[in-house]
Amino acid sequence: MMTAWRIAKYVTKKNKRFIWLYSRKNLTRRWAWTISNAPFNTAMYWPIGAIKIMKGQELLLKCETKEIADAPQPAEVLLPLRDFDIKKDKKKLKEDLPVKTGQQLKPGFFSTVTGTIKGFGPLTPAVAEPIYLRIAVSDSEEIDPLLQAEPDFLEQEPQALLEKLNRANLGFCEELQPVDTVVVSAVDEEPLIMVYGQLLRENKERVFAGLRLLKHLTSAQKVVLAVPQPLYSFVSGAAADGIEVHSVVPRYPNGLPEILIRDMAAAYNVDSHLFLNVEKLLAAAAALTDGKPFSHKVVTVIDKQGAGNYRVRIGTPLAELLKDRRIKDNDKVIIGGPFRGSTCFDLSMPVTAATDCIYIQDENEVAFFHNNQCLNCGRCVRACPVDLDVNLLGRYAEFAIFDQCLEMDLKNCIECGLCAYVCPSGRSLVQLLRLAKSEGEKLESELEKEAVNVLEDKQEENKEEKDGERLS
Amino acid sequence: MKLVVSSPPHWRVKLRESNIHRDFIIALLPALIFAVYTYGMFAVRVISLAAAAALLSDVLIRKLFRKPATFTDGSALLIGLLFGLLMPPGVPYWVVIIGAFLCIFIGKEIFGGLGSSPLNPVLVGWTIIAISWPAYVNFSLSTAHYNLGLDFQYPLIMLKNGGAGFVSDFRLIDLLLGKQVGGMGAAAVLFLLAGGLYLLLRRVVTWEIPLSFAAGVLIMSGIFWAANSEVYANPLFHLLTGNVMIGIFFLSTDYSSSPFNKWSMVAFGLGCGFLTVIFRAWGIEPDGVIFAILIMNLFTPLLDKLKKQPRPLQVSYMEKR
């Protein structure tokens, strides 16, 4: 992983020479490198030192303390509709219908505010279908009476607890299946995000209460809390029987759920598992102890001026959250981290339950990808956390040979984005792999149909043959 | 407000493909300077002619094929320089021009340009020249007109003709410092080593191929030497003569024609080393490095299958996305 580090300036202090290196223009990532009493020209050394320092510094997960501030109440929230059915939903969700926080509006769909329904809305003229429900927020907050506090939850039946959790907008399955391990991650998924670590710092007791709840709920043998290395000593003392703490190196792909579980599978003998992040866990604990639904999401907002953590009501339009931030034309607003996030085309898009981070990229920081030829240098292969031959896959996708892609375990790709990140040619590899995935799925379903047809034909032939034999 | 929209990722390393070629050229500079220092204007003539011919043929061929011009990325210049450094100083101008053109045309562009060639372009051009006009690429003959204060015999020819006893006069330190007849840049062992270390430090080249190549040469020549030290030269002699050092760092590490998986790279390097020594011991040509690399290039797709299979990922079922 080679980033072009430049020497920004030399500083000499107490016979030690500091070199400030910078990698990106405006993101504050500078690293000091010291040589005591350096007798030689330090510039002679710099490639060696720089390599030591830059070994993927950009990929490090931030484990900083960043206090969570409350974002102001929005005037209106937008909730993304699931399984939209225009006839049924328009009857049920009429305009001016008062709703309470946590009220179930349709199966699996909950209100996150108290207010009145304003109707369905397409976001922009560009999107024709009504995919959002608009709710005007009222000043006072009322929580749905169905949600009740259950302080002594450990004595209740798991199935009853699960129903209560599902009523609190947590989206678990309806029925419990036996698992042997529950994995709870407090490792932020991508660099720049500072949500889970901070939540763990602020709510240590509650996290462990939640872990006991999960153990009771799933009757799993082990509950493992994965934390980034800097936080390990902070929580390791609280590990009790059946609850273990796992330390994770805070580098980028290690925090992704798929990678986290794969790395833990060997160490903890994971066969079947349930995966949760700390925020969901805290929401589950809050739903039982306080009777609160999952209505707020912690979001890291990052731009040139700096980063901040905000507790935002789910459904708040980004325009309201980013009121104070300066966003110009040709900037990029990324919902999610720099590696897996999707870009926002309109600031009226809302914060959803899956939004961890909003990263505002300045116009001159935007990375450009091209349709250049592959050099075959193999950097993507070495960067890939799931050992795919990305260089070949990219070329197969480029030339529309999708059946070969399927043969090369394309389905294992988790779209972490590291291949495109390291590519010196700047090929948009993630885009190519996504294309190959969707085309491969189409191809597979076609093949399946063909196979079924062939099978049926054969059966008919056999029948005819048998009939012929009988007749003769 | 108009916002920029794209697919992820949104970061990209600052490394560009032209930077890679620039680093290769920087790493070649010590050997280039050595060549110019030793052979004077003869070296300047051959190397600049090779570089110019390679660049020009790249431009012309791209134009002919109606493809966008790519001469600015430095790959054609790198091919020209490497080809020039493999040549002896007295080679006629038309051989250099034809060779550089063949490198670009048959080695690189016919297969689809940068990154697509199954064989190292430089070696393709060199091999055609060496087979078609062997007299002009003969190191001992072509340097016979110059007074360089060196032994005028190509060490590997002496080894081929007379066995280990003939080459016992060569001191290893002289070979290391480049006081030997050979390709203009290829003979500058120490300078190539410095350039190679620079490539390793910049991580343009990973350690696998260079290290295993050197190990392959040492192991195989060690076996021969142990079997009969009167006929076969000692391992360090093999490592320091001919095109081995330029092959280790600059020829075998060509991206498009070498494997990209870790252990396949190690196998590739070992194969290059073994074949080099075998060709030197039993082949017709005095130096086997280039043929060894070319043959191993053909094995690259096969070697790339030497990798661990992707492990399937577990799927979490309980949480709805």
Side-chain angles (χ1 to χ4, degrees):
Chain A
M1 246 129 301
M2 193 127 166
T3 36
W5 288 80
R6 307 269 162 82
I7 297 176
K9 61 177 176 184
Y10 294 87
V11 185
T12 316
K13 273 181 195 169
K14 290 182 189 170
N15 285 339
K16 281 187 177 176
R17 216 169 282 188
F18 288 77
I19 296 182
W20 290 90
L21 301 173
Y22 68 91
S23 72
R24 285 178 172 275
K25 269 184 190 163
N26 300 315
L27 290 174
T28 52
R29 250 160 291 144
R30 280 168 284 146
W31 286 83
W33 171 51
T34 63
I35 314 161
S36 56
N37 298 324
F40 307 110
N41 179 10
T42 32
M44 230 173 77
Y45 282 154
W46 90 262
I48 310 170
I51 284 165
K52 264 187 201 163
I53 293 165
M54 75 197 175
K55 214 178 161 188
Q57 280 305 332
E58 245 177 24
L59 302 178
L60 285 189
L61 305 179
K62 283 199 170 181
C63 300
E64 291 170 14
T65 316
K66 201 89 198 173
E67 278 185 19
I68 301 170
D70 280 324
Q73 189 88 319
E76 187 186 62
V77 294
L78 296 168
L79 299 176
L81 282 163
R82 210 184 274 159
D83 314 324
F84 183 67
D85 184 345
I86 198 158
K87 276 183 192 167
K88 274 187 194 171
D89 286 354
K90 278 207 168 165
K91 246 183 220 171
K92 218 173 177 185
L93 308 172
K94 282 174 194 156
E95 273 186 38
D96 299 329
L97 184 77
V99 290
K100 286 169 188 160
T101 310
Q103 187 181 341
Q104 187 165 16
L105 301 177
K106 59 185 246 188
F109 183 71
F110 297 85
S111 166
T112 58
V113 285
T114 312
T116 49
I117 292 178
K118 285 269 278 303
F120 303 97
L123 205 59
T124 48
V127 182
E129 285 175 40
I131 44 171
Y132 288 100
L133 180 70
R134 292 165 178 276
I135 302 176
V137 183
S138 61
D139 293 336
S140 58
E141 179 155 19
E142 262 182 88
I143 290 174
D144 193 54
L146 276 174
L147 292 162
Q148 285 158 3
E150 306 276 353
D152 46 352
F153 50 80
L154 285 180
E155 284 153 23
Q156 294 200 2
E157 284 285 303
Q159 196 61 42
L161 281 179
L162 194 68
E163 274 169 26
K164 266 168 203 151
L165 287 177
N166 273 337
R167 236 178 271 148
N169 191 13
L170 279 161
F172 288 135
C173 281
E174 269 101 52
E175 268 181 53
L176 277 173
Q177 277 168 302
V179 286
D180 61 27
T181 315
V182 177
V183 180
V184 177
S185 166
V187 190
D188 287 312
E189 287 191 5
E190 292 186 38
L192 299 187
I193 305 180
M194 296 177 284
V195 176
Y196 299 158
Q198 183 60 24
L199 280 170
L200 179 64
R201 267 198 200 93
E202 288 185 6
N203 310 290
K204 186 179 161 189
E205 297 300 316
R206 199 156 240 206
V207 167
F208 278 90
L211 290 175
R212 281 192 289 279
L213 160 71
L214 278 184
K215 194 162 189 299
H216 173 65
L217 197 67
T218 57
S219 58
Q221 291 154 1
K222 278 171 299 211
V223 177
V224 187
L225 175 68
V227 295
Q229 225 166 26
L231 278 176
Y232 181 70
S233 55
F234 175 67
V235 285
S236 61
D241 52 335
I243 296 174
E244 290 173 61
V245 179
H246 175 64
S247 155
V248 177
V249 179
R251 288 196 61 188
Y252 164 53
N254 295 350
L256 298 180
E258 296 91 341
I259 303 296
L260 195 68
I261 285 156
R262 188 197 64 188
D263 291 348
M264 286 165 76
Y268 292 91
N269 240 337
V270 179
D271 198 28
S272 57
H273 69 272
L274 161 68
F275 182 85
L276 274 183
N277 58 44
V278 157
E279 192 163 30
K280 271 264 170 89
L281 179 83
L282 284 170
L288 291 181
T289 51
D290 307 342
K292 275 186 187 166
F294 182 39
S295 61
H296 285 78
K297 177 82 188 76
V298 179
V299 179
T300 306
V301 179
I302 292 177
D303 68 355
K304 238 160 77 171
Q305 288 138 21
N309 271 343
Y310 299 96
R311 186 170 276 111
V312 188
R313 198 173 281 276
I314 294 170
T316 308
L318 291 187
E320 287 209 31
L321 178 61
L322 306 176
K323 241 187 270 171
D324 309 333
R325 310 269 171 173
R326 252 181 53 207
I327 303 171
K328 309 188 297 295
D329 270 0
N330 298 331
D331 282 1
K332 214 187 216 180
V333 177
I334 299 156
I335 305 175
F339 285 97
R340 299 227 284 192
S342 57
T343 40
C344 162
F345 54 85
D346 191 319
L347 285 179
S348 49
M349 276 167 101
V351 170
T352 65
T355 310
D356 281 336
C357 174
I358 290 158
Y359 172 31
I360 302 156
Q361 213 172 27
D362 197 63
E363 189 181 347
N364 50 26
E365 281 174 10
V366 173
F368 283 94
F369 293 87
H370 318 277
N371 195 16
N372 285 347
Q373 219 161 353
C374 174
L375 273 178
N376 210 32
C377 67
R379 280 177 173 78
C380 48
V381 180
R382 269 169 262 143
C384 182
V386 289
D387 304 321
L388 294 176
D389 285 342
V390 192
N391 55 348
L392 297 180
L393 279 171
R395 274 181 279 187
Y396 281 133
E398 191 180 355
F399 296 107
I401 312 172
F402 300 117
D403 48 341
Q404 270 289 340
C405 290
L406 289 178
E407 273 177 31
M408 297 179 66
D409 303 288
L410 174 67
K411 283 182 177 173
N412 263 9
C413 174
I414 53 170
E415 295 173 18
C416 67
L418 277 172
C419 46
Y421 168 74
V422 298
C423 183
S425 289
R427 286 162 69 76
S428 48
L429 283 163
V430 174
Q431 203 176 352
L432 284 171
L433 295 189
R434 280 181 172 178
L435 171 76
K437 266 186 190 173
S438 69
E439 291 294 320
E441 269 169 25
K442 279 182 209 165
L443 208 69
E444 265 192 345
S445 63
E446 270 173 32
L447 284 176
E448 233 174 56
K449 268 182 206 165
E450 243 174 61
V452 170
N453 285 343
V454 169
L455 209 75
E456 281 172 356
D457 286 354
K458 261 194 182 173
Q459 280 171 349
E460 274 175 23
E461 271 176 27
N462 282 347
K463 262 186 192 175
E464 279 168 16
E465 273 179 22
K466 275 179 189 171
D467 291 346
E469 277 172 15
R470 262 182 224 156
L471 285 174
S472 67
Chain B
M1 191 180 295
K2 284 177 199 160
L3 295 171
V4 175
V5 179
S6 76
S7 83
H10 309 291
W11 277 356
R12 198 187 143 189
V13 291
K14 281 277 166 73
L15 183 70
R16 300 287 179 268
E17 54 184 353
S18 52
N19 294 15
I20 292 175
H21 296 129
R22 195 191 60 198
D23 272 350
F24 265 113
I25 291 168
I26 289 174
L28 271 179
L29 278 181
L32 263 172
I33 292 165
F34 172 85
V36 173
Y37 176 75
T38 320
Y39 298 101
M41 285 314 284
F42 299 107
V44 175
R45 182 185 71 103
V46 173
I47 294 169
S48 55
L49 197 59
L55 271 174
L56 203 66
S57 42
D58 190 68
V59 173
L60 289 178
I61 290 164
R62 299 291 289 194
K63 201 151 215 180
L64 203 68
F65 287 2
R66 288 178 193 165
K67 283 180 178 174
T70 55
F71 66 95
T72 46
D73 67 9
S75 68
L77 182 64
L78 178 65
I79 289 173
L81 285 179
L82 275 172
F83 181 75
L85 288 176
L86 283 177
M87 287 281 123
V91 64
Y93 71 95
W94 54 272
V95 174
V96 179
I97 292 175
I98 291 175
F101 173 76
L102 290 173
C103 286
I104 297 289
F105 184 56
I106 297 183
K108 186 180 154 206
E109 286 301 331
I110 266 191
F111 295 106
L114 188 64
S116 311
S117 44
L119 302 167
N120 188 335
V122 183
L123 303 188
V124 172
W126 189 91
T127 310
I128 296 173
I129 293 292
I131 291 173
S132 310
W133 299 285
Y136 294 119
V137 202
N138 185 321
F139 296 118
S140 300
L141 282 178
S142 64
T143 45
H145 308 294
Y146 314 118
N147 184 10
L148 301 168
L150 301 174
D151 199 329
F152 289 135
Q153 283 298 316
Y154 189 38
L156 290 169
I157 286 193
M158 294 180 74
L159 179 69
K160 183 115 267 172
N161 294 339
F166 267 51
V167 295
S168 56
D169 293 346
F170 286 105
R171 288 194 303 151
L172 288 181
I173 189 75
D174 284 349
L175 293 176
L176 185 69
L177 290 174
K179 290 181 183 169
Q180 55 170 320
V181 170
M184 281 183 302
V189 178
L190 190 67
F191 302 90
L192 288 169
L193 195 68
L197 288 179
Y198 172 76
L199 288 182
L200 284 176
L201 283 178
R202 295 280 293 170
R203 300 208 173 174
V204 174
V205 163
T206 46
W207 58 269
E208 287 96 347
I209 291 179
L211 204 70
S212 57
F213 195 154
V217 169
L218 289 177
I219 291 169
M220 205 60 186
S221 54
I223 291 170
F224 276 101
W225 191 49
N228 190 347
S229 62
E230 284 177 10
V231 179
Y232 302 112
N234 68 350
L236 281 175
F237 176 83
H238 277 292
L239 193 65
L240 298 179
T241 49
N243 293 325
V244 170
M245 203 47 82
I246 200 171
I248 282 178
F249 287 113
F250 295 94
L251 301 177
S252 63
T253 52
D254 173 47
Y255 286 150
S256 67
S257 56
S258 66
F260 46 82
N261 290 315
K262 197 172 183 178
W263 293 109
S264 355
M265 282 164 121
V266 172
F268 177 85
L270 282 177
C272 286
F274 290 166
L275 283 181
T276 299
V277 180
I278 287 172
F279 288 159
R280 279 181 179 185
W282 294 331
I284 303 168
E285 289 282 324
D287 193 2
V289 173
I290 286 171
F291 298 112
I293 297 173
L294 276 177
I295 286 176
M296 288 314 289
N297 281 346
L298 295 174
F299 281 101
T300 295
L302 193 67
L303 287 175
D304 265 330
K305 309 229 160 183
L306 273 180
K307 65 168 284 193
K308 51 183 173 184
Q309 284 305 306
R311 285 172 284 178
L313 297 168
Q314 286 196 20
V315 185
S316 184
Y317 67 86
M318 231 170 117
E319 199 182 350
K320 282 184 223 153
R321 279 251 161 176

